[in-house]
Amino acid sequence: MQVLDEALREAAERHRDVPVNREVVEGAARRALLDAAADTDLLVVGARWRHGHVGLQLDLVNHVVLHHAPCPIAIVPRT
């Protein structure tokens, strides 16, 4: 949980009025994200820029979430 807290620290300090639920789960990422999407208003996932390709390249997990999540999805590029 320490790694997650460190990753979110700066954004949490800048946006204190935005509630963030942090949870570490075991298992397949796509199953965990779809389960989490069942009771949330927005699911945020990351995507990588790949050298030699134009635009963001979505992986299998992002595709599954986009097609099956019951809530809006925000795909944020990793820097």
Side-chain angles (χ1 to χ4, degrees), residues 19-21 32-44 69-73:
V20 176
N21 296 323
L33 289 169
L34 289 175
D35 289 347
D39 5 310
T40 192
D41 296 323
L42 174 69
L43 184 64
V44 180
C71 67
I73 308 298

Side-chain angles (χ1 to χ4, degrees), residues 9-20:
R9 185 181 335 268
E10 184 181 327
E13 289 173 359
R14 280 185 293 159
H15 305 285
R16 294 182 187 270
D17 57 330
V18 176
V20 176

Side-chain angles (χ1 to χ4, degrees), residues 9 20-21 28 32 38 41-42 47-49 53 56 61 63 69 75-76:
R9 185 181 335 268
V20 176
N21 296 323
D41 296 323
L42 174 69
R48 292 192 174 131
W49 294 101
H53 293 90
L56 287 174
V61 172
H63 278 283
I75 298 179
V76 179

